Amino acid sequence: MAEIQSPLPGTFYHQASPGEPPFKAKGDAVAVGDTIGLIEVMKTFIEIKAEAAGTFADYKIEDAAPVSAGQVLAELDG
Amino acid sequence: MDIQRLFIANRGEIAVRIIRAAQAMGITTIQAYSEGDSEMLAVRLADEAVCIGPASAKDSYLNIDKVVAAARESGADAVHPGYGFLSESPTFARALEAAGVRYIGPSANTIERMGDKVAARQAAEAAGVPVVPGSDGRVDSVDDAAMIAAKVGYPVMIKAAAGGGGRGIRIAADEAELRKLAPQAQQEAAAAFGDGGLYLEHAVQSPRHIEVQIVGDGKSAVHFFERECSLQRRRQKVWEEAGAECLDEPTRDALCASAVALAEAVDYVGAGTLEYLYDPEKNAFYFIEMNTRIQVEHPVSEMITGVDLVQEMIRVCGGEPLSVTQEQIRRNGHAIEVRINAEDPLMQFMPFPGKVGALRIPEGDGTRFDHFLYEGYQIPPFYDSLLGKLIVHGKDRADAIGKLSKALKGLDIGGLKTTVPLHIALAEDKDVQADAFHTQWLEPWLEAGNLTAAATGGAS
């Protein structure tokens, strides 16, 4: 089980913009460098990328919720 | 004056600025804050504070119902909107009016009219204020386009009459190019908007952004001279001056008089800014838009005129006449403001919402730092990155730049990455010192690696 952590405090989003599907859903294959979400920090959007490959388990933070640096955003299996 | 209790519907440095101005007038201050802002300096300084909702601005500072309800429940008789958030929302101004609370700004109708680019351009033309020469309406044929372009002067910008944004904008340097580009623009406009109509406008080359500060009391208006704000990155101002050295005295007089004429034509109440493009080649200025609020860079105008603009706008919106006549407003010396943002300029301006460590603030004659920092304060990540504004006043522009360099080196905000290194490099740049820049100058300067070279002592 690999964890994807937030590098910055901010607001976490599951999708690129409202109404679009989430970047990843349970069971999706994840490659190194795949975008799994966005962190909005001070009006700037930063893409959160997977640093390991695996299968997407789930988001650990709700969409549009505030996060602090180091908080686990999502988990990967295998 | 009718204002005893002022509700501040904003945050950060401008909330602090408004609280200080109001308290000095004997007004009780009530600070609105979100759950993400409970530790901010304005909450500590205000006489009272009210939580208006979650950290996300759309659920707090941008939520009209919540802000109006909080203002009314707190017994406020007026609301100051600051800048950003709800500061230019006619809906907000109307909701306050309906709730019987005064708004520190112009009427909802004026906000609406001046916030609409077409209506604002018409109001400007009616008041005799020059606007960028363009086609008065839509242009349907290439021959008409060529005729109008010859009149407004090349180069011309070709835009779709329908739709907005920068989509499909083309610039033609001469008639041959216009005849090639206009049909393309027509086709694209027809495909995108179902309307092939075009709009033509003279393209100002290497323009400067110059703006005029005004305050009106509904009967008359006065100006506090102009500001030069051409140093911009991603359309955000980073460095602002008062006045604009590039203007000669007759041009300055005509520019400032045009701003007063427009403000009086719309019976303006409150502080406002009229923005212009200035074409140095032609020594011509063109009105582009009006901001119906106090602006981030208002302190430079205060430094050269000695008038507290925030207090003045509170007074006139409280029903008092202007406290100064135009003759009493004199320019003295030169002022520069630089925006200190929590961003790392050496890392593509990556936001840096850290915790403030040791804080060293420069002091001295003609040096001012408007900010909302204190040691141990955790900068919230939910809002923009402006930490404060360092403002200097000198006897002339060269003196002001010298003071700015010194003040920047005396400013130390521990624990954060800030835009201080950018401003140190700009203050030492030959073009900046020579006042030889325009709105398209800073981004190429950054892309060419000038900041990295300056920050690493020339070795890159």
Side-chain angles (χ1 to χ4, degrees):
Chain A
M1 171 100 32
E3 293 179 335
I4 299 173
Q5 295 178 332
S6 180
L8 282 160
T11 306
F12 182 56
Y13 294 98
H14 295 185
Q15 65 275 319
S17 58
E20 282 189 35
F23 287 105
K24 293 290 175 187
K26 192 173 167 60
D28 282 357
V30 176
V32 173
D34 277 6
T35 298
I36 64 106
L38 298 176
I39 295 282
E40 182 186 5
V41 52
M42 297 180 146
K43 294 186 166 179
T44 300
F45 288 87
I46 290 161
E47 291 188 340
I48 304 301
K49 295 186 166 157
E51 288 174 358
T55 304
F56 196 77
D58 209 351
Y59 288 108
K60 303 305 286 180
I61 300 282
E62 270 182 58
D63 182 49
V67 294
S68 48
Q71 215 168 334
V72 177
L73 302 172
E75 284 178 347
L76 305 182
D77 289 325
Chain B
M1 193 180 61
D2 302 341
I3 297 170
Q4 307 294 323
R5 292 174 60 77
L6 181 66
F7 185 91
I8 296 117
N10 211 298
R11 60 175 308 281
E13 69 85 22
I14 194 65
V16 172
R17 170 80 185 87
I18 296 163
I19 288 170
R20 294 217 159 108
Q23 286 179 340
M25 298 166 80
I27 297 171
T28 302
T29 52
I30 308 150
Q31 177 62 49
Y33 67 95
S34 76
E35 285 165 15
D37 266 343
S38 57
E39 300 300 318
M40 75 173 169
L41 186 58
V43 169
R44 297 184 171 196
L45 293 176
D47 300 287
E48 298 168 29
V50 189
C51 184
I52 53 166
S56 169
K58 71 178 190 322
D59 300 321
S60 50
Y61 301 107
L62 287 170
N63 186 308
I64 291 177
D65 291 343
K66 282 184 183 170
V67 175
V68 173
R72 197 164 47 181
E73 280 159 27
S74 70
D77 40 37
V79 169
H80 198 305
Y83 51 67
F85 296 123
L86 297 173
S87 65
E88 290 179 283
S89 162
T91 315
F92 180 53
R94 278 198 189 100
L96 285 173
E97 197 182 330
V101 183
R102 278 178 189 268
Y103 177 71
I104 306 298
S107 69
N109 287 344
T110 301
I111 298 171
E112 198 157 62
R113 183 174 174 197
M114 300 317 281
D116 178 295
K117 287 207 173 184
V118 175
R121 183 181 162 103
Q122 285 166 352
E125 286 184 294
V129 178
V131 295
V132 182
S135 55
D136 285 327
R138 50 182 282 141
V139 181
D140 287 307
S141 78
V142 176
D143 285 339
D144 284 351
M147 202 177 70
I148 291 160
K151 216 185 297 172
V152 303
Y154 287 98
V156 291
M157 235 187 302
I158 310 164
K159 304 176 182 181
R167 189 152 179 188
I169 291 183
R170 289 172 169 76
I171 293 179
D174 51 37
E175 185 171 341
E177 205 172 5
L178 178 81
R179 287 189 179 277
K180 194 178 82 189
L181 295 176
Q184 292 174 13
Q186 278 181 315
Q187 277 173 16
E188 194 176 291
F193 309 113
D195 175 357
L198 299 179
Y199 176 80
L200 289 192
E201 195 174 271
H202 174 66
V204 182
Q205 298 294 288
S206 307
R208 281 182 178 259
H209 175 113
I210 295 182
E211 57 187 35
V212 180
Q213 174 71 54
I214 59 99
V215 179
D217 63 10
K219 292 189 177 70
S220 57
V222 289
H223 70 79
F224 294 82
F225 298 97
E226 79 288 358
R227 296 187 285 259
E228 208 293 352
C229 315
S230 298
L231 290 177
Q232 303 182 4
R233 177 179 171 270
R234 297 189 171 171
R235 312 189 124 248
Q236 291 285 315
K237 298 162 188 166
V238 305
W239 162 306
E240 300 110 336
E241 306 189 20
E245 281 254 300
C246 59
L247 297 182
D248 59 36
E249 220 36 60
T251 307
R252 173 175 295 115
D253 288 347
L255 173 78
C256 294
S258 81
V260 170
L262 179 49
E264 289 188 339
V266 298
D267 303 324
Y268 198 82
V269 182
T273 297
L274 292 96
E275 298 192 333
Y276 296 81
L277 283 182
Y278 175 67
D279 184 338
E281 292 269 302
K282 294 188 174 132
N283 189 27
F285 57 84
Y286 310 108
F287 169 80
I288 44 175
E289 62 179 69
M290 181 170 190
N291 296 321
T292 53
R293 54 173 160 82
I294 193 76
Q295 283 188 278
V296 176
E297 60 271 25
H298 75 275
V300 286
S301 302
E302 297 183 323
M303 297 296 262
I304 64 160
T305 61
V307 176
D308 186 314
L309 293 167
V310 176
Q311 289 189 351
E312 191 68 13
M313 74 189 289
I314 293 172
R315 272 193 293 269
V316 294
C317 295
E320 286 190 11
L322 284 163
S323 72
V324 282
T325 63
Q326 191 65 67
E327 292 66 40
Q328 288 169 332
I329 303 166
R330 298 286 170 88
R331 318 162 58 209
N332 169 33
H334 192 89
I336 304 175
E337 169 187 290
V338 293
R339 298 192 189 194
I340 309 298
N341 293 333
E343 293 170 2
D344 184 354
L346 297 168
M347 285 282 285
Q348 293 89 47
F349 293 84
M350 174 79 94
F352 201 99
K355 190 174 197 170
V356 180
L359 195 55
R360 187 159 55 98
I361 293 170
E363 282 169 18
D365 190 30
T367 301
R368 164 175 165 185
F369 186 45
D370 281 20
H371 68 98
F372 70 118
L373 305 175
Y374 58 84
E375 292 183 358
Y377 177 56
Q378 171 65 51
I379 309 294
F382 311 109
Y383 313 103
D384 74 36
S385 61
L386 185 68
L387 297 173
K389 297 134 32 177
L390 183 63
I391 306 124
V392 294
H393 181 242
K395 65 181 194 309
D396 55 29
R397 188 169 185 270
D399 186 39
I401 292 177
K403 276 191 172 165
L404 178 65
S405 278
K406 195 163 155 246
L408 282 164
K409 284 164 192 162
L411 175 64
D412 191 14
I413 305 171
L416 302 182
K417 299 277 188 191
T418 75
T419 48
V420 166
L422 167 69
H423 296 303
I424 289 177
L426 286 173
E428 285 167 5
D429 184 86
K430 291 275 173 291
D431 284 350
V432 173
Q433 289 179 352
D435 192 30
F437 50 78
H438 50 79
T439 57
Q440 307 304 315
W441 183 89
L442 181 57
E443 288 187 13
W445 183 88
L446 286 166
E447 278 156 26
N450 285 290
L451 176 58
T452 320
T456 55
S460 59

